[in-house]
Amino acid sequence: MAFKPSIKTQALETPALIIEMDALESNIRMMSEFFKDKKAKLRPHFKTHKSPEIARMQVAAGAKGLTCAKLGEAEVLVGAGIKDILIANQIVDKGKLNRLAGLARFAKMGVCADNADNIADLSKAAQYYGSTLHVLVEINVGMERCGVNTKEEVKYLAKLINSSDGLVFEGFQAYAGQLSHNLDKPERVSGVGDAVAKVGAIKKYLEDDGIAVAQISGAGTGTYNITGDNTIWTEIQAGSYVFMDTDYEQLGLDFMKSLTVLATVIHKRPGAAITDAGQKSCCITVGPPAIAGYPGLFATLSEEHGKIIDAEDLLEYQQRVEYLPSHCCTTVNLHDRYYCVRDGALEAVWNIAGRGKTQ
Amino acid sequence: MAFKPSIKTQALETPALIIEMDALESNIRMMSEFFKDKKAKLRPHFKTHKSPEIARMQVAAGAKGLTCAKLGEAEVLVGAGIKDILIANQIVDKGKLNRLAGLARFAKMGVCADNADNIADLSKAAQYYGSTLHVLVEINVGMERCGVNTKEEVKYLAKLINSSDGLVFEGFQAYAGQLSHNLDKPERVSGVGDAVAKVGAIKKYLEDDGIAVAQISGAGTGTYNITGDNTIWTEIQAGSYVFMDTDYEQLGLDFMKSLTVLATVIHKRPGAAITDAGQKSCCITVGPPAIAGYPGLFATLSEEHGKIIDAEDLLEYQQRVEYLPSHCCTTVNLHDRYYCVRDGALEAVWNIAGRGKTQ
């Protein structure tokens, strides 16, 4: 049976990034319910949706604040009225240090550090602006990206932060992103266990020396219900749960897919349909998008086109199809706006204010 | 020896998309020289750079007009004063037909067609706006995307166009993109030969019936010097030659790489450097970016970070590095502006006005 897009989405020009609002709201509600009786709080990641509207919905549903990846994203969040922001990353450019410390006059700003020189720079910038930066020492828990490894390094940096004017030692950033996409739940559980052991030992080492560790921040959509289930984490940085994608879907979580890329069939011939949505509308680094309502169909994307092998000729010329992206975050970053749809009616168009804010 | 970025690029915040202006201008000059004594004219593709400034430089250097992939790009080009534009694609949405015909009041607008219903729609829209659309019948020359295959289909559509009010049959769109990235030059040459044979036979079939074929448009950077060397093509749609990338570099063309993504090393440890430029700043679908000035080094990109295996510890903490992208067009589409550098000095910041204009 052919997939029937609604009258409203049929009228939209394509490619268009669509949010199914009922699904989005359900996802936000479900995550909020999960954290109601947990020690950890939700600090959802802005890098996924980059939308001030969704950020405010998350805070209204109980999120303690937002996480973001980039200083430019934090500036958008402050402009949107968010008061508690963590940049889950190092800020090392001289110009960015100024922007960060300046921004901290308007919101509680957290930032990660793993380097003594950087801590000295953060302190200078905070003093210049008369603001306070809440600094988390990043611990490497398997991403092999940023972060330090030993308890001695962590303690050294924590003490340095606490003795630096304008800085407060807030705790740890510990993000085991490599676990978030592991399809094997027992492996996710045991991986979180390993991280708890490593981070917990470091926490104890600092506390034994009288250094308070207020926050341990990290985790994502793939481990929120393990890491966030009364372990030592105090903040969970899940992002993709608002939209999900075909990659996260494989984990068997209860969130609904709420994000699609609407495309038009601009050419149809026996066995194939060509659409107007290519790699500039949908990210394919994790795999090609599936086609909503047509199990087994997917689109191979070149730069400007999608090619759907349509052996049974289910699709028609000029028909709208909806891609289900394999990676929501990088797909969102290609678009300027969301078309928000409920029961087939377009109810809002939202500017993706954080798009492209990589600096 | 460590790569030394200039004082000016050192001062830019990162990630930043950099154009080396001398290299860009040299590429535009070289391509212009090639076409000086050729039957074919250059109609460079806007989808690569999406910049009104570069489009105007190309026209000033002799390009007959611009090619683009999307109607939204054509609107940017009209706004930039470009008077002769080909959308090398089908426009089938009802809303888009109106925009296209409206736009044709301000510039000569070419568009592709491969469907009789679409030709009827184009005619209705052009009549409504009192404008003229120049329609090219797309012939499939191996991309297996849009386009028709037989001489009979082409003639039928050409006649239909010529008999439709508001439309002019302009000729053929024949883009053999599959050849453009073929590393084997004899294969590129013989592939172009096959396309010349196919398209030439169709041209003769129409001309024998008194149907003039004014333009045959197509080809890219990888075949400009084969297809454009006095074959039957009259317009060459090369795009990437302005920037080049590590993928096109393998073809051994004489153009210079003029585009980099400037990044900062935000974490350094023995054997590895982590940067602040990930997949949201540099497209990796064709491969990871190389690092300028450091043969053998490249960056594996996650969403927000680059990881460089730096076994000899050539890189330093806080150092700027420049990525050489594997695919320039999709990398440009991630950025809002170009930082234009000459002799190490920042000489302009250009808005990438066509970015995200997928609709």
Side-chain angles (χ1 to χ4, degrees):
Chain A
M1 190 192 69
F3 172 72
K4 298 285 180 214
S6 70
I7 290 166
K8 282 288 182 183
T9 56
Q10 189 68 266
L12 289 175
E13 293 191 16
T14 59
L17 190 63
I18 306 280
I19 297 178
E20 284 292 340
M21 291 298 283
D22 283 342
L24 170 72
E25 290 172 3
S26 163
N27 291 342
I28 291 173
R29 235 180 357 253
M30 268 188 56
M31 191 59 110
S32 168
E33 283 295 317
F34 176 84
F35 280 101
K36 239 174 201 163
D37 60 350
K38 301 296 186 297
K39 283 193 303 190
K41 301 289 172 209
L42 182 64
R43 183 187 281 283
H45 215 310
F46 187 62
K47 76 176 173 73
T48 299
H49 56 73
K50 291 173 172 279
S51 155
E53 287 81 0
I54 298 176
R56 284 191 294 257
M57 288 165 71
Q58 290 172 316
V59 169
K64 70 183 286 189
L66 269 287
T67 305
C68 61
K70 296 286 184 172
L71 181 58
E73 293 175 337
E75 290 170 335
V76 172
L77 283 168
V78 168
I82 305 299
K83 294 293 183 195
D84 184 346
I85 299 162
L86 168 63
I87 302 176
N89 222 325
Q90 284 65 20
I91 300 294
V92 309
D93 284 2
K94 301 287 176 190
K96 281 185 187 158
L97 289 162
N98 292 344
R99 286 163 58 203
L100 172 63
L103 204 59
R105 295 173 298 178
F106 304 102
K108 181 183 175 189
M109 290 300 311
V111 67
C112 300
D114 59 5
N115 180 292
D117 290 344
N118 185 222
I119 289 167
D121 286 343
L122 289 167
S123 172
K124 272 184 233 158
Q127 289 177 68
Y128 182 82
Y129 284 94
S131 60
T132 300
L133 293 170
H134 298 259
V135 184
L136 287 76
V137 173
E138 181 160 359
I139 300 173
N140 173 25
V141 281
M143 286 295 276
E144 308 300 336
R145 228 157 43 184
C146 298
V148 293
N149 275 296
T150 68
K151 62 186 180 187
E152 292 82 7
E153 289 172 289
V154 176
K155 188 158 94 175
Y156 167 70
L157 295 176
K159 282 189 162 178
L160 190 60
I161 294 163
N162 269 337
S163 66
S164 298
D165 288 336
L167 305 186
V168 170
F169 172 65
E170 186 84 2
F172 306 147
Q173 162 78 8
Y175 174 61
Q178 77 282 4
L179 299 175
S180 215
H181 295 269
N182 187 326
L183 295 186
D184 187 300
K185 181 147 188 201
E187 283 187 17
R188 294 206 300 280
V189 171
S190 86
V192 169
D194 293 345
V196 165
K198 176 173 184 172
V199 174
I202 296 174
K203 179 171 186 271
K204 183 170 183 311
Y205 182 70
L206 267 66
E207 288 173 343
D208 285 350
D209 200 18
I211 305 168
V213 180
Q215 303 295 341
I216 299 178
S217 196
T221 294
T223 57
Y224 82 96
N225 53 0
I226 309 165
T227 314
D229 195 9
N230 297 320
T231 68
I232 60 172
W233 266 264
T234 66
E235 295 183 353
I236 303 301
Q237 301 170 358
S240 298
Y241 75 96
V242 292
F243 293 144
M244 297 297 287
D245 51 39
T246 58
D247 190 49
Y248 263 122
E249 185 183 24
Q250 302 175 78
L251 294 186
L253 305 172
D254 287 332
F255 302 105
M256 297 162 75
K257 290 198 295 294
S258 64
L259 187 83
T260 65
V261 177
L262 189 73
T264 298
V265 175
I266 61 168
H267 173 97
K268 180 72 185 96
R269 62 174 176 272
I274 307 296
T275 78
D276 62 352
Q279 290 180 31
K280 287 176 177 168
S281 304
C282 187
C283 182
I284 59 164
T285 50
V286 182
I291 309 299
Y294 296 93
L297 294 197
F298 62 93
T300 304
L301 305 190
S302 54
E303 199 174 321
E304 312 285 355
H305 297 87
K307 183 174 182 173
I308 303 169
I309 300 298
D310 180 22
E312 298 175 50
D313 292 317
L314 302 170
L315 305 178
E316 292 166 23
Y317 178 62
Q318 290 185 315
Q319 178 179 336
R320 295 300 203 267
V321 292
E322 291 188 55
Y323 292 175
L324 299 167
S326 57
H327 189 186
C328 57
C329 312
T330 47
T331 294
V332 166
N333 190 49
L334 297 167
H335 291 262
D336 288 327
R337 61 195 75 83
Y338 291 114
Y339 297 88
C340 304
V341 171
R342 195 191 308 266
D343 293 331
L346 181 70
E347 85 176 26
V349 179
W350 287 343
N351 180 26
I352 304 177
R355 195 217 63 78
K357 301 297 183 198
T358 54
Q359 292 182 334
Chain B
M1 191 191 69
F3 173 72
K4 297 285 181 215
S6 72
I7 290 165
K8 282 291 185 182
T9 55
Q10 189 68 267
L12 290 174
E13 291 190 17
T14 60
L17 191 63
I18 307 281
I19 298 179
E20 284 291 340
M21 292 297 283
D22 282 343
L24 171 71
E25 289 171 4
S26 164
N27 291 343
I28 291 174
R29 239 183 351 255
M30 268 188 55
M31 192 59 112
S32 170
E33 284 296 318
F34 176 85
F35 280 101
K36 239 173 201 163
D37 60 350
K38 301 295 186 298
K39 282 192 302 188
K41 300 290 173 209
L42 181 65
R43 183 187 281 284
H45 215 311
F46 186 63
K47 77 176 173 71
T48 299
H49 56 72
K50 293 174 172 277
S51 155
E53 287 81 359
I54 298 176
R56 285 192 294 255
M57 288 166 71
Q58 291 172 315
V59 169
K64 71 182 286 187
L66 269 287
T67 305
C68 61
K70 296 287 184 169
L71 181 58
E73 293 175 337
E75 290 169 335
V76 172
L77 283 168
V78 168
I82 305 298
K83 293 295 183 193
D84 185 346
I85 298 162
L86 168 62
I87 301 175
N89 224 325
Q90 284 65 22
I91 300 295
V92 309
D93 283 3
K94 301 287 178 194
K96 282 186 187 157
L97 290 163
N98 293 343
R99 285 164 58 203
L100 172 63
L103 204 58
R105 295 173 299 177
F106 304 101
K108 180 183 174 190
M109 289 301 310
V111 67
C112 300
D114 60 5
N115 180 292
D117 290 344
N118 185 223
I119 290 167
D121 286 342
L122 289 168
S123 171
K124 271 183 234 160
Q127 289 178 68
Y128 183 82
Y129 284 94
S131 60
T132 300
L133 293 170
H134 298 259
V135 185
L136 287 76
V137 174
E138 180 159 0
I139 301 173
N140 173 27
V141 280
M143 286 295 276
E144 307 300 337
R145 226 155 48 184
C146 298
V148 294
N149 275 297
T150 68
K151 61 186 181 185
E152 292 80 8
E153 288 171 289
V154 177
K155 188 158 94 174
Y156 167 70
L157 295 176
K159 283 189 163 179
L160 190 60
I161 293 164
N162 269 337
S163 67
S164 297
D165 289 335
L167 305 186
V168 169
F169 171 65
E170 186 83 3
F172 306 148
Q173 162 77 7
Y175 174 61
Q178 77 282 5
L179 299 175
S180 215
H181 295 269
N182 187 326
L183 295 187
D184 187 299
K185 181 147 187 201
E187 283 186 16
R188 294 206 300 281
V189 170
S190 86
V192 169
D194 293 345
V196 166
K198 176 171 184 173
V199 175
I202 296 174
K203 179 171 185 271
K204 185 171 181 311
Y205 182 70
L206 267 66
E207 288 174 343
D208 286 350
D209 201 18
I211 304 168
V213 180
Q215 304 294 342
I216 299 178
S217 196
T221 294
T223 58
Y224 82 95
N225 54 0
I226 309 166
T227 315
D229 194 9
N230 298 319
T231 69
I232 59 172
W233 267 265
T234 66
E235 294 184 353
I236 303 302
Q237 301 169 358
S240 298
Y241 75 96
V242 293
F243 294 143
M244 296 298 286
D245 51 39
T246 58
D247 190 49
Y248 263 123
E249 186 183 23
Q250 302 176 76
L251 296 186
L253 305 173
D254 286 332
F255 302 106
M256 296 162 75
K257 294 199 294 294
S258 64
L259 188 83
T260 65
V261 177
L262 190 73
T264 299
V265 174
I266 63 168
H267 173 97
K268 179 73 184 96
R269 62 173 176 271
I274 307 297
T275 78
D276 61 352
Q279 290 180 31
K280 286 175 177 167
S281 304
C282 187
C283 183
I284 58 164
T285 49
V286 181
I291 309 299
Y294 296 93
L297 294 197
F298 62 92
T300 305
L301 305 190
S302 54
E303 200 174 321
E304 312 285 354
H305 296 87
K307 182 175 184 173
I308 302 169
I309 300 299
D310 181 21
E312 297 175 50
D313 292 318
L314 302 170
L315 304 178
E316 291 167 22
Y317 178 61
Q318 287 185 319
Q319 179 181 337
R320 296 298 205 267
V321 292
E322 291 188 56
Y323 292 176
L324 298 167
S326 58
H327 189 186
C328 57
C329 312
T330 47
T331 294
V332 165
N333 190 49
L334 297 167
H335 291 264
D336 287 327
R337 61 195 77 84
Y338 292 115
Y339 297 88
C340 305
V341 171
R342 195 191 310 266
D343 292 332
L346 181 69
E347 84 175 29
V349 179
W350 287 344
N351 179 25
I352 305 178
R355 194 218 64 75
K357 300 298 183 196
T358 53
Q359 291 181 335

